[in-house]
Amino acid sequence: MSRLILTLLILLLLTFNIQAQTSDSTIALNNSFRNTLYTAKFGVGQIGGYAQIDFNQPFGDNLKYNGTFDVHRLVLFVGHKFNDKLSFFSEIELEHVKEVYIEQAFLEYKITPWMNLRSGLVLIPMGIVNEYHEPPTFNGVERPNLDKYIVPTTWREIGIGLAGNLTSSSMNYQLYLVNGPLGYNDGNALFNGANGIRGGRQKGAKSKFSGNINLATKINYYGLPGLTIGVSGYFGKSQSSLYDQLDLNNPDMLASADSSIVGIKMIGFDARYDYHGFQARSQVTYTKFNNTTAYNIYSDSDLGDKMFGYFIEMGYDVFSLSKSINEQLIVFGRFESYNTHQSTSSEISINDEYNRTDITVGLHFKPWSSTSFKADYQLLKNRATLTGINQLNLGVGVWF
């Protein structure tokens, strides 16, 4: 692991253009693809945030389902700028009215015009939605399921790293050393075939650390008009409660603890394009796990060896045809396929219920660039039954 980290650091430094400069301590992107952090401009302090309120109505064969109204999330952004080099960023999230989380909380220090040191609770830079999840920034009432079951959005961990913008090369980067997800806790497996590693997100809440330091990194290229291309990676091991007060002279206890650890290698590619009313997004994410045989046998779980998923989305702002209309009305469609049992070890049979496809079509009305009224219809299927639940979604979103 240490050799991998050193190699990536060297390669990253070799690609830096020392002459690259930016007037802001945050990362620059194409104007169409920014989030709360990247748009924060404050003197001493700033308060902002975003909110999402949804209605979901499932439909099934010969079955009646209740719909659900939900204040899905309300996130408050609080930042403070100490001086031209030192800033603090945080997001406090309330989910479903009753659950309170910290989504981000880190201190950023500007080392050079192209390198910033960050430390605290940071978002893992994997894919698109894990970083850009304010409701007006994505089409559809709900986030893509690829970014739920394979990339466990919203995924954040405590760590330290570097981030910056290389303007002359039209690139920006992030590189973090972070604590990993918790795979086993108090006699329970937190990873499984249905949800991958989602159940192991520690979210900075008394996060357990077994000595496994993980690497998360991403590089974006934005040198072509309207286009941003990203490559991301996550490499390391999970954590386990079995290492707490472990007797190193007891081989049975040591073997049990080692069986509760899973190696994780995740690679992602994404692209975003926005030009003259037309927009497109695509994401591919591949994950490989190690030690799954021992993990599944010890913990009685069904975690697969590999997960794979992708989505393709296209949309068009029909109001862009008129120069007198400032609002946006985006008609869009998204196809996504995600399989959390792409392959399994010999003791686990592949479950085709985990091989899923979603088709989402809908409308996204934006009376202001940071407000949303959304409506879409989803066809949700899996390979085992070849049928699934259809769902109507309505939502309102705001970002300020």
Side-chain angles (χ1 to χ4, degrees), residues 251-267:
D252 292 334
M253 292 180 64
L254 184 60
S256 295
D258 290 343
S259 296
S260 67
I261 293 292
V262 174
I264 305 169
K265 296 178 182 178
M266 185 180 295
I267 299 174

Side-chain angles (χ1 to χ4, degrees), residues 51-54 69-74 94-97:
Q52 178 179 343
I53 303 171
D54 303 337
F69 287 97
D70 186 23
V71 180
H72 200 145
R73 51 181 59 91
L74 171 64
L94 291 87
E95 285 197 1
H96 314 297
V97 180

Side-chain angles (χ1 to χ4, degrees), residues 89-154:
F89 302 91
S90 70
E91 287 185 339
I92 304 167
E93 179 179 31
L94 291 87
E95 285 197 1
H96 314 297
V97 180
K98 60 183 179 180
E99 302 171 7
V100 181
Y101 299 100
I102 303 299
E103 194 161 273
Q104 298 186 76
F106 64 86
L107 196 63
E108 179 177 273
Y109 178 71
K110 186 176 180 180
I111 301 173
T112 73
W114 48 272
M115 180 182 291
N116 306 296
L117 175 67
R118 290 180 178 175
S119 184
L121 184 66
V122 297
L123 294 176
I124 301 300
M126 175 61 63
I128 300 174
V129 175
N130 201 58
E131 292 187 276
Y132 309 98
H133 47 248
E134 292 80 0
T137 66
F138 63 90
N139 294 322
V141 175
E142 303 293 343
R143 300 167 179 177
N145 277 322
L146 169 64
D147 290 291
K148 177 179 179 180
Y149 294 103
I150 294 185
V151 180
T153 302
T154 303

Side-chain angles (χ1 to χ4, degrees), residues 7 55-56 62 71 85 99-100 114 119 213 229 237 275 308 327 365 367 379 398:
T7 301
F55 170 71
N56 308 113
N62 300 316
V71 180
K85 289 191 174 183
E99 302 171 7
V100 181
W114 48 272
S119 184
I213 300 175
I229 300 173
K237 295 181 179 180
Y275 190 69
F308 177 76
E327 295 87 350
F365 174 56
L379 290 79
V398 63

